[in-house]
Amino acid sequence: MAQRLTRIERRERTREDLVEAAREVFLRRGFHAASLDEIAEEAGYTKGAVYSNFRSKDELFVAVLDAHFAERVSAYSEFVLDQEQLEDSYRAVARFMYTTDEAEPRWTPLVLEFWPHAARSRELRLAIADQRRWFIEAITAIVAELAARHGVTYRIPVEDVVRGAGALARGVALERLLDPTSTSSEAFEEMLVAYMTGLAREEGS
Amino acid sequence: MAQRLTRIERRERTREDLVEAAREVFLRRGFHAASLDEIAEEAGYTKGAVYSNFRSKDELFVAVLDAHFAERVSAYSEFVLDQEQLEDSYRAVARFMYTTDEAEPRWTPLVLEFWPHAARSRELRLAIADQRRWFIEAITAIVAELAARHGVTYRIPVEDVVRGAGALARGVALERLLDPTSTSSEAFEEMLVAYMTGLAREEGS
DNA sequence: TGTACATCAGTGAACGCGCGTTCACTGATGTAC
DNA sequence: TGTACATCAGTGAACGCGCGTTCACTGATGTAC
């Protein structure tokens, strides 16, 4: 009994359906191999609906990324600052990263598959770079707050600390894509703690 | 002037030409966007020559990777062990990684673009995994030797130390692809030193 | 050293096909009176 | 509340095109005698 919706409501609904379906199909097939036909069908529409809501396959993908990063930021902001010890926060982050990667191991390669593609178009590259900057800034704010609470400063800008941590996580996720037995959750936890702790400035120096 | 070559010599020469040209075109265009026409033309042959020497575009790409990893291993084995201090070795590695990335910033995304593609074919995935394992083992041997000389042991297996370092480098290279101003050479050096030093076991414990 | 046939690396053109994009159309919602 | 026209979200079919792969062919190298 689909209730009657206004045009705007229906349009928003369709858009959400498409983004959700796109996310699943992109994960399943990868960016290049995913077809708009399959995405539209998964969402219960036809390809034309995609072009009624997005200008291109690229733009649809960017919408998937938008939704993802928004979710991630709110997840981090919920648990990172709740820990007693600084190292507990690091470990909680490591476990969160590792767990989400295990739950959706294809997410990281999917994003990375898109970057070289995006890098070749000026407009797309700028859109992705903006999106990324927004995400990095949001995470940086959380880490800066965490560090301030524990009276810690880092030897490089907090933003670089964050970028490096993300880099480490992404890199490990990729290793595990090719060889899922490679880096254990415990090993990754040690890596991240070593990285974060090693970057902290010695007290009072 | 082209001296007469035996069939085997000519075939080898053609193969090398194709791999070299493929490397350049793949770097320029990315894996998916590179066409065999352009590669063959760049090498001074036609597409047929590619199929006379390789079974597919995938196999040609794997040959490019083979050549690359062999070069990298011999580069590392030359300078890593020549340093006085352990930290000097870490810093030399960091600078090498950063410099090669600056020289060919598209290499990392190129490789990463290929992985999700490879992950979807069993045969290809195994070929890439084997290649990667060989590379990781070679680097692990170098780092193990380095650690032994300096009487250092790590809190996780040396192989994981190596994987993590590679992960960090790749991740940072990707950041810089989207925003070349993001992580400075100095910041990356600190990241890697922090990571490696942080993973060393406390002396005598 | 020379001749006759065999091999095969590379040519060049054609094939096929998937898929992103476009577009005329439809029927449900919106608006004016 | 009801009628007549306007709008526009989504349909469905067609288009176009790039590019990986195939294949019959050629001419230079290899081999046998």
Side-chain angles (χ1 to χ4, degrees):
Chain A
M1 308 321 170
Q3 57 188 353
R4 273 168 82 125
L5 301 172
T6 68
R7 265 195 195 149
I8 292 173
E9 285 170 333
R10 169 138 300 289
R11 195 172 162 77
E12 271 173 15
R13 175 68 175 281
T14 303
R15 196 189 147 92
E16 283 164 20
D17 289 345
L18 287 171
V19 170
E20 198 178 326
R23 180 190 165 87
E24 283 175 36
V25 176
F26 280 136
L27 277 173
R28 195 153 65 222
R29 306 279 184 207
F31 175 73
H32 286 99
S35 77
L36 294 181
D37 266 323
E38 187 173 354
I39 290 169
E41 195 188 345
E42 175 104 9
Y45 300 85
T46 63
K47 263 194 298 190
V50 173
Y51 280 88
S52 179
N53 283 277
F54 304 91
R55 274 186 304 183
S56 63
K57 189 185 188 184
D58 288 341
E59 199 178 273
L60 174 59
F61 190 82
V62 171
V64 171
L65 291 178
D66 272 333
H68 174 86
F69 288 125
E71 266 176 38
R72 281 293 159 95
V73 168
S74 77
Y76 279 116
S77 65
E78 278 193 17
F79 71 81
V80 170
L81 295 170
D82 287 356
Q83 315 295 317
E84 285 280 313
Q85 301 293 323
L86 181 59
E87 195 176 308
D88 292 339
S89 285
Y90 295 160
R91 290 187 186 276
V93 168
R95 281 193 297 267
F96 177 77
M97 284 173 160
Y98 199 90
T99 306
T100 53
D101 177 55
E102 275 185 318
E104 276 185 344
R106 300 205 162 200
W107 177 260
T108 299
L110 173 63
V111 173
L112 298 190
E113 184 188 0
F114 189 70
W115 283 7
H117 171 70
R120 251 165 274 123
S121 145
R122 183 185 154 71
E123 191 187 355
L124 197 52
R125 190 178 65 245
L126 294 179
I128 294 291
D130 278 353
Q131 190 183 55
R132 178 131 203 88
R133 198 161 16 246
W134 173 83
F135 177 69
I136 294 285
E137 277 169 17
I139 301 294
T140 297
I142 296 173
V143 174
E145 165 71 19
L146 179 73
R149 284 199 196 173
H150 292 280
V152 164
T153 59
Y154 296 104
R155 294 156 63 195
I156 58 178
V158 180
E159 192 174 309
D160 285 340
V161 173
V162 169
R163 281 183 200 276
L168 188 60
R170 263 199 312 283
V172 168
L174 283 167
E175 288 291 347
R176 289 175 39 75
L177 175 72
L178 289 182
D179 179 0
T181 68
S182 73
T183 305
S184 70
S185 175
E186 290 74 25
F188 179 65
E189 217 175 296
E190 293 307 317
M191 285 179 190
L192 193 73
V193 170
Y195 169 82
M196 294 297 292
T197 307
L199 281 178
R201 209 170 246 131
E202 298 303 311
E203 311 250 325
S205 68
Chain B
M1 308 291 187
Q3 56 186 356
R4 274 167 81 123
L5 302 172
T6 67
R7 267 198 192 144
I8 293 174
E9 286 170 333
R10 169 137 299 291
R11 195 171 162 78
E12 271 173 13
R13 175 69 175 281
T14 303
R15 195 188 147 92
E16 283 164 20
D17 290 345
L18 287 171
V19 170
E20 199 177 325
R23 180 190 164 87
E24 283 174 37
V25 177
F26 279 136
L27 278 173
R28 195 153 65 222
R29 307 279 184 205
F31 175 74
H32 286 99
S35 78
L36 294 181
D37 266 323
E38 187 174 354
I39 289 169
E41 194 187 346
E42 173 105 8
Y45 300 85
T46 62
K47 262 193 298 190
V50 173
Y51 281 88
S52 179
N53 283 278
F54 303 92
R55 275 186 303 185
S56 64
K57 188 185 189 184
D58 288 343
E59 200 177 272
L60 174 59
F61 190 82
V62 171
V64 171
L65 291 178
D66 272 332
H68 174 87
F69 287 126
E71 267 175 38
R72 281 293 159 95
V73 167
S74 77
Y76 280 117
S77 65
E78 278 191 19
F79 73 80
V80 171
L81 295 170
D82 288 355
Q83 314 296 316
E84 285 279 313
Q85 300 294 322
L86 181 58
E87 196 176 308
D88 292 339
S89 285
Y90 294 160
R91 291 187 185 275
V93 168
R95 281 192 299 266
F96 177 79
M97 284 173 160
Y98 200 90
T99 305
T100 53
D101 177 56
E102 274 186 318
E104 277 185 342
R106 301 205 161 199
W107 177 260
T108 299
L110 173 62
V111 173
L112 297 190
E113 184 188 0
F114 189 70
W115 282 7
H117 172 70
R120 251 165 272 123
S121 145
R122 182 185 154 71
E123 193 187 353
L124 197 52
R125 190 178 65 244
L126 294 179
I128 294 291
D130 277 354
Q131 191 183 54
R132 179 132 201 88
R133 194 158 21 242
W134 172 85
F135 178 69
I136 293 286
E137 276 169 17
I139 302 294
T140 298
I142 297 174
V143 174
E145 165 71 19
L146 180 73
R149 284 199 195 173
H150 292 279
V152 164
T153 59
Y154 297 103
R155 294 155 64 195
I156 57 178
V158 180
E159 192 176 308
D160 284 341
V161 173
V162 169
R163 282 183 199 274
L168 188 59
R170 265 200 311 281
V172 168
L174 284 166
E175 288 290 349
R176 288 175 39 75
L177 175 71
L178 289 183
D179 180 0
T181 68
S182 72
T183 306
S184 70
S185 175
E186 290 74 26
F188 178 65
E189 218 176 297
E190 293 307 317
M191 285 179 190
L192 194 73
V193 170
Y195 169 82
M196 294 298 292
T197 307
L199 281 177
R201 209 170 245 131
E202 298 302 312
E203 312 249 324
S205 67

